Amino acid sequence: MPLGTLYLIPVPLADEAAAKSFTPYLVDTINNIKEYIVENEKTARKFLKEAGLKTPQSELTIHDYSKHNRDSTADFFKGLQAGNDVGLMSEAGCPGIADPGAEIVEKAHRMGIKVVPLVGPSSILLALMASGFNGQSFTFHGYLPIDKIERSKKIRQLEGMAEQNNQTQIFIETPFRNNPLLEEILKTAHPKTRLCIACDLTSATEFVQTKTIAEWQKKVPELHKRPTIFLLFHR
């Protein structure tokens, strides 16, 4: 029996930006799928409804891979092994990018299951596109250390990598810790180092600006609880 296909379905980054994420192919695909592996069931069901799902949601099979359910994923693959197509969704953005869904994708490859990524928003790439920094060479570091000393040390390290390699350094923080991270960047980095702050991407309050550290120090934005991507570059 042929195996099913695992479709990687991007989810909108902001509530009011759903229509920006839809393509005809995505709409056709979700209407041919009745089984999903999702990081957040509530977000996933809302997205499917807004995207034009015609199948009654009561007929869907939805597997939750939130942090409490990642130790037992064997059931997630039974449909795929039976030849059914399955959709994988992150809570927001692209599954597998800064997202635990990468483990699902990795296991699918090991099982010989075809993986198909669909077009959709990635906050990391949108931020890089809008930064004006080097898009030929860049590194995404995820979260920086919480400890202040270690975090400051890491910021200096990233700054050095940016200068030495002519490479964009990208990182994120839990939204409620954005302000302390920004404060540390402005205290630690060289005044001429450039910092791009990309906040609330695709939403009505979207904010993307690139300035030197010295320029940011004159007027510090409020980032508390706002999804933000930070990018460092030095040239």
Side-chain angles (χ1 to χ4, degrees), residues 158-178:
L158 298 185
E159 190 177 35
M161 291 169 63
E163 183 175 13
Q164 182 177 351
N165 302 323
N166 189 33
Q167 184 182 70
T168 305
Q169 308 298 316
I170 309 171
F171 49 96
I172 56 176
E173 181 53 282
T174 302
F176 68 85
R177 288 201 289 259
N178 279 337

Side-chain angles (χ1 to χ4, degrees), residues 1-4 77-84:
M1 178 183 296
L3 299 171
F77 294 89
K78 289 182 178 179
L80 287 160
Q81 290 174 312
N84 301 322

Side-chain angles (χ1 to χ4, degrees), residues 90 92-102 122-125 140:
S90 173
C94 294
I97 306 297
D99 166 64
S122 165
S123 59
I124 298 166
L125 288 181
F140 176 65

Side-chain angles (χ1 to χ4, degrees), residues 129-151:
M129 288 164 61
S131 68
F133 295 164
N134 191 349
Q136 297 283 354
S137 179
F138 55 90
T139 301
F140 176 65
H141 297 272
Y143 296 91
L144 301 194
I146 296 176
D147 179 80
K148 281 190 174 184
I149 296 175
E150 290 300 314
R151 187 170 58 196

Side-chain angles (χ1 to χ4, degrees), residues 20-66:
K20 297 179 182 178
S21 304
F22 304 153
T23 66
Y25 183 64
L26 181 147
V27 177
D28 290 344
T29 301
I30 65 172
N31 278 298
N32 286 312
I33 293 176
K34 292 189 176 181
E35 186 172 358
Y36 292 88
I37 304 169
V38 306
E39 185 181 13
N40 184 307
E41 183 171 349
K42 182 179 179 180
T43 301
R45 288 187 181 276
K46 180 182 178 183
F47 167 65
L48 290 170
K49 180 181 178 181
E50 292 176 340
L53 179 72
K54 297 174 183 176
T55 304
Q57 294 217 12
S58 59
E59 297 180 12
L60 300 179
T61 299
I62 295 188
H63 306 285
D64 186 332
Y65 74 93
S66 61

Side-chain angles (χ1 to χ4, degrees), residues 197-234:
I197 298 174
C199 179
D200 294 338
L201 289 167
T202 73
S203 80
T205 57
E206 180 177 273
F207 172 90
V208 183
Q209 286 190 15
T210 293
K211 298 180 180 180
T212 65
I213 294 298
E215 289 170 333
W216 280 119
Q217 288 170 342
K218 295 175 184 177
K219 187 175 181 180
V220 181
E222 173 57 58
L223 303 177
H224 186 58
K225 292 187 176 180
R226 300 174 68 187
T228 303
I229 307 289
F230 298 91
L231 304 92
L232 272 182
F233 193 61
H234 190 101

